[in-house]
Amino acid sequence: MNPPTLDGLELEAKPHAQFLATEHWSLLATRSMTWNEIFSRTGTYLTVLSATVIALSLVANATGFGESFQTFALLVLPVALLVGVGTYFRLIEADIEDAWLVIGMNRLRHAYVELAPELEPYFVASHHDDAPGMLKTYSFRSRVGLTHWLSGSPVVIGTINAVVTGVLAAVICEASGAGDTLRTIVGVITAVVTVALLAFVGYRKIRHVTRDYRPRFPS
């Protein structure tokens, strides 16, 4: 009985392919767990934040934004912010881990191509472990636009954290007796500084990982 063919090319059984496939499925399962954690942590933070906003609304209706509201806001907003900052840094770490898993699967895919070069035209994802190869596996393109990065979970969570930080700063100013103009200015500046700080820390983490990386199978 003749072996199966693709475009008239016979596929010879490769004993190493089973080990590669097992490792590939292991990385794929780990990547699935990483994405589940990303969604879970993001959802948990948004739930905590929603509960905080609802609680603040109820207290505001009951106290008329008086001193009791300020005290309550100063108690619950730092807790929500702590959860948000922890979520942001974990999302950065999860994205880095996901990138390493993609690199591993691209390397395994490169081994598939070495074992059976005739299969290369059938791969949609990349079999190179450099930056263009990773992006091709992620989005099936060699580069992505600004909208892709802005829609990422870390950017969304970081922006929400900046807003919460600005609101917390405004509440602190209100509790200190500051006027409306000063509260607004302090809140906006605090939010902008928080965005810049979170972006800088996230960039440093990513830069620390990628600085010494050298691809084994560049494009």
Side-chain angles (χ1 to χ4, degrees), residues 95 147-157:
D95 281 348
T147 56
H148 178 86
W149 299 111
L150 292 179
S151 61
S153 296
V155 175
V156 174
I157 296 301

Side-chain angles (χ1 to χ4, degrees), residues 12 29 35 41 46 58 61 65 79 83 108 121 132 137 167 177 194 206:
E12 182 182 355
W35 276 94
R41 283 183 174 268
L46 295 179
L58 295 175
N61 290 331
F65 293 96
V79 175
V83 176
L108 293 175
T137 299
V167 172
T194 302
I206 297 174

Side-chain angles (χ1 to χ4, degrees), residues 104-128:
M105 289 190 289
N106 282 8
R107 289 178 177 177
L108 293 175
R109 204 172 289 112
H110 190 86
Y112 298 152
V113 173
E114 289 182 349
L115 292 174
E118 65 272 12
L119 295 179
E120 182 177 6
Y122 299 93
F123 288 130
V124 177
S126 175
H127 54 86
H128 300 287

Side-chain angles (χ1 to χ4, degrees), residues 9 13 19 24 39 41 43 55 60 63 72 76 89 93 95 110-111 116 123 130-131 133 161-162 186 188 207:
L9 297 175
F19 301 105
H24 198 134
F39 295 140
R41 283 183 174 268
T63 62
F72 184 75
V76 299
F89 288 128
E93 295 290 343
D95 281 348
H110 190 86
F123 288 130
D130 54 2
N161 287 339
V186 171
V188 171
R207 179 61 180 171

Side-chain angles (χ1 to χ4, degrees), residues 85 88-90 92-93 96 154 193-209:
V85 172
Y88 173 78
F89 288 128
R90 180 54 194 146
I92 294 293
E93 295 290 343
I96 294 174
V193 171
T194 302
V195 167
L197 182 61
L198 291 177
F200 175 74
V201 174
Y203 172 79
R204 286 290 300 272
K205 283 182 172 291
I206 297 174
R207 179 61 180 171
H208 178 73
V209 174

Side-chain angles (χ1 to χ4, degrees), residues 2-87:
N2 295 328
T5 60
L6 291 175
D7 293 338
L9 297 175
E10 295 187 354
L11 300 180
E12 182 182 355
K14 306 290 184 179
H16 296 7
Q18 182 178 357
F19 301 105
L20 295 174
T22 301
E23 177 66 10
H24 198 134
W25 280 106
S26 176
L27 296 180
L28 186 62
T30 305
R31 192 182 181 200
S32 178
M33 293 173 58
T34 301
W35 276 94
N36 287 335
E37 182 182 5
I38 290 175
F39 295 140
S40 176
R41 283 183 174 268
T42 302
T44 300
Y45 172 51
L46 295 179
T47 300
V48 170
L49 186 60
S50 299
T52 301
V53 172
I54 293 174
L56 288 173
S57 300
L58 295 175
V59 173
N61 290 331
T63 62
F65 293 96
E67 294 183 359
S68 298
F69 170 79
Q70 296 173 9
T71 302
F72 184 75
L74 292 175
L75 289 175
V76 299
L77 285 177
V79 175
L81 183 60
L82 177 62
V83 176
V85 172
T87 300

